Amino acid sequence: EVVLRRAQQHDMQFIACIRMNDRHPKSNETPFFRDHPEWRLRELSAGMDYKHEGVRRAVLSIIQEVLRKHDVDGIEIDWMRHCHMFNPSEAAEHAPLLTEMLVAVRGMLDQAAERRHCEPLVLGVRVPQTIGECRVLGFDLDAWVQEGGIDYICPSDFMYFDANIKVDEFASVTEGSSCQVFPTISAGLSHADRRRGLSPMVLRAAAHNYYSFGASGVSAYNFYNQYRIVPGNEWRKAAPDVMLTEWPQALASLTALRDPAVVSNGDKHYLFHPLWRSREYHTGVTIYDLIELHRDGTSPADTIRLRVADNLGSPEFSATLEFKATGMSPDDVLQISFNGTTVLAEQLPRTFDSDGQNAQEGRELPPFFLYRLVLSPDLARLGDNYLTARLKVNAGTEKVELQEFQILVRDLR
């Protein structure tokens, strides 16, 4: 209530976010979980199964209580904590139940607005960052837009930052409706690199990607772990060069992202890092963008997509691509093609880092080669760029992984 009143003093909308099925370790100690073993997700370690009316009714009563007690400006339904509302084997068939829930929430919001004699209250949803994951989990976005009365969608990773979100897929779902798309900026880089912060150039690049492919704005998620150092909790400790370290100054760079015209100008740093391995990620899919080259011939070539919203074919920009290759011997030779054009060896210099990358530097890596490629106008383009790699000379024994791709764009205007 204190924060709500302060927000109103500053003419800010206040949206109450409801976690729909949190499965952090203490969640299975709650009375609701203990008292209803018949309602639990049997295929997962914790959480409740939304196919049961009792579960849905209990959650709706919590939302109703928020609307009764507090003059919030809307409700955000956070399906990302912890993604599964149903047993994975049954999720798709039970999707209509979640649509019905959203229709019920929309009705509660409309009743609250009528009672308060105010403008219509907002209904938003936070969902995974791919349409495929949404379908698998039973999140029917088409029905939610057409029937559920939602006002915005926040495509979001569970925890980490991704400049490569296919925002255009979500924009297609909302086309012709008033529903808006707010892709998510998160504070951390990846599950294996939680310490590094995000510079203004990194944030600007991601937001520019989002706006250029159909976003109406940008949402922020889980930025609390950049605000302070927590003794004994290593993953919240910021590295010395982290830009976002103090509250409330940490929010200044986020505020700048609200304006598409602002983020379209200036230098940008596009990052494409591996986020999760499938065994770690909560939706059960692989969110692990890298290139893997197997020496036995099972995967002689691999491709990665790199989305850049600046027109790299224009003389107004210059751009350099960098990436790291582990598992390579000195005699190995990479063959790289960029958007179908083979890159000449002399265009792709490399340097060897003999001690790899430690936890202070980022994601821990063994010794690697750092490759650098100046992206000439005939190679790069605005939008999705595709880099394909293969071993032209196979002289080693380890699997080769190309990772931590980044494109640094200089704005010469």
Side-chain angles (χ1 to χ4, degrees):
E1 187 68 19
V2 170
V3 180
L4 168 60
R5 295 306 172 201
R6 183 59 61 88
Q8 290 174 336
Q9 290 171 14
H10 290 275
D11 295 322
M12 295 173 62
Q13 285 186 302
F14 188 97
I15 309 296
C17 181
I18 311 293
R19 291 185 171 189
M20 300 303 281
N21 213 359
D22 195 289
R23 299 203 312 275
H24 278 95
K26 295 291 184 181
S27 65
N28 57 4
E29 298 178 13
T30 63
F32 188 70
F33 186 84
R34 290 198 309 267
D35 295 346
H36 296 285
E38 75 281 9
W39 291 348
R40 300 175 189 172
L41 289 169
R42 66 178 185 275
E43 296 176 12
L44 300 167
S45 58
M48 307 304 284
D49 188 344
Y50 273 60
K51 76 178 179 184
H52 298 288
E53 184 180 358
V55 174
R56 303 194 302 277
R57 187 168 57 243
V59 174
L60 288 172
S61 71
I62 293 171
I63 297 172
Q64 186 71 276
E65 181 181 352
V66 171
L67 293 173
R68 185 176 67 251
K69 290 184 175 180
H70 306 286
D71 291 340
V72 297
D73 295 295
I75 295 288
E76 181 178 296
I77 303 298
D78 183 2
W79 301 109
M80 291 302 294
R81 288 296 182 270
H82 271 61
C83 302
H84 291 279
M85 305 302 124
F86 306 110
N87 289 301
S89 64
E90 303 173 333
E93 66 182 279
H94 292 311
L97 297 177
L98 300 186
T99 304
E100 290 176 11
M101 277 197 71
L102 286 175
V103 171
V105 175
R106 177 74 268 168
M108 293 177 184
L109 289 165
D110 292 343
Q111 291 171 10
E114 184 177 352
R115 183 175 66 249
R116 289 163 47 187
H117 305 288
C118 66
E119 295 293 319
L121 302 184
V122 174
L123 175 57
V125 294
R126 183 168 297 279
V127 298
Q129 62 193 33
T130 69
I131 297 293
E133 288 170 273
C134 292
R135 291 186 181 126
V136 167
L137 291 166
F139 304 156
D140 187 347
L141 297 186
D142 290 289
W144 293 3
V145 170
Q146 295 165 15
E147 305 169 28
I150 61 174
D151 296 296
Y152 69 83
I153 300 171
C154 295
S156 174
D157 181 69
F158 185 84
M159 189 75 181
Y160 300 112
F161 167 85
D162 190 357
N164 224 15
I165 298 174
K166 290 187 175 180
V167 179
D168 43 322
E169 293 185 352
F170 291 89
S172 294
V173 171
T174 62
E175 187 176 4
S177 75
S178 61
C179 184
Q180 297 177 293
V181 179
F182 302 139
T184 301
I185 298 283
S186 299
L189 277 175
S190 74
H191 191 60
D193 186 3
R194 295 168 166 180
R195 295 173 61 86
R196 276 191 286 181
L198 307 175
S199 72
M201 287 197 302
V202 169
L203 295 173
R204 188 160 55 239
H208 188 39
N209 261 358
Y210 301 161
Y211 283 121
S212 298
F213 288 90
S216 304
V218 174
S219 69
Y221 195 51
N222 266 6
F223 263 79
Y224 66 88
N225 60 335
Q226 295 288 358
Y227 299 158
R228 65 195 186 282
I229 293 178
V230 182
N233 199 339
E234 292 295 327
W235 71 274
R236 291 188 188 177
K237 289 186 179 179
D241 62 344
V242 167
M243 177 273 299
L244 302 175
T245 55
E246 298 293 337
W247 172 274
Q249 289 85 351
L251 299 181
S253 291
L254 294 180
T255 304
L257 304 182
R258 71 171 67 210
D259 189 342
V262 170
V263 300
S264 67
N265 293 306
D267 297 348
K268 302 179 189 71
H269 189 177
Y270 293 89
L271 294 182
F272 309 94
H273 283 217
L275 301 186
W276 307 78
R277 290 187 185 271
S278 58
R279 66 177 181 274
E280 300 163 341
Y281 191 50
H282 296 271
T283 64
V285 303
T286 299
I287 308 290
Y288 200 60
D289 283 342
L290 52 67
I291 283 179
E292 294 184 336
L293 302 176
H294 298 268
R295 297 183 184 273
D296 61 3
T298 56
S299 178
D302 199 3
T303 300
I304 190 169
R305 178 182 62 88
L306 310 171
R307 175 166 286 189
V308 176
D310 292 301
N311 184 7
L312 301 184
S314 165
E316 295 181 330
F317 298 97
S318 67
T320 303
L321 166 72
E322 295 181 353
F323 61 88
K324 297 165 185 174
T326 60
M328 293 192 66
S329 76
D331 296 325
D332 282 329
V333 177
L334 276 180
Q335 180 176 297
I336 299 293
S337 68
F338 202 82
N339 292 326
T341 299
T342 300
V343 175
L344 301 177
E346 56 267 27
Q347 295 175 279
L348 196 68
R350 69 180 187 179
T351 56
F352 185 60
D353 189 319
S354 61
D355 60 359
Q357 189 164 275
N358 61 39
Q360 291 291 334
E361 297 170 308
R363 184 167 171 266
E364 293 187 63
L365 294 175
F368 62 84
F369 284 96
L370 175 66
Y371 285 82
R372 183 174 285 107
L373 171 65
V374 174
L375 293 175
S376 58
D378 60 317
L379 282 178
R381 62 193 179 205
L382 186 154
D384 288 335
N385 293 266
Y386 293 90
L387 184 149
T388 299
R390 67 176 67 246
L391 280 172
K392 184 176 181 180
V393 176
N394 182 353
T397 58
E398 299 180 47
K399 179 179 67 173
V400 174
E401 291 187 338
L402 278 54
Q403 57 207 295
E404 297 200 0
F405 292 82
Q406 57 184 5
I407 296 178
L408 298 106
V409 176
R410 292 290 308 276
D411 189 337
L412 306 176
R413 292 174 291 184

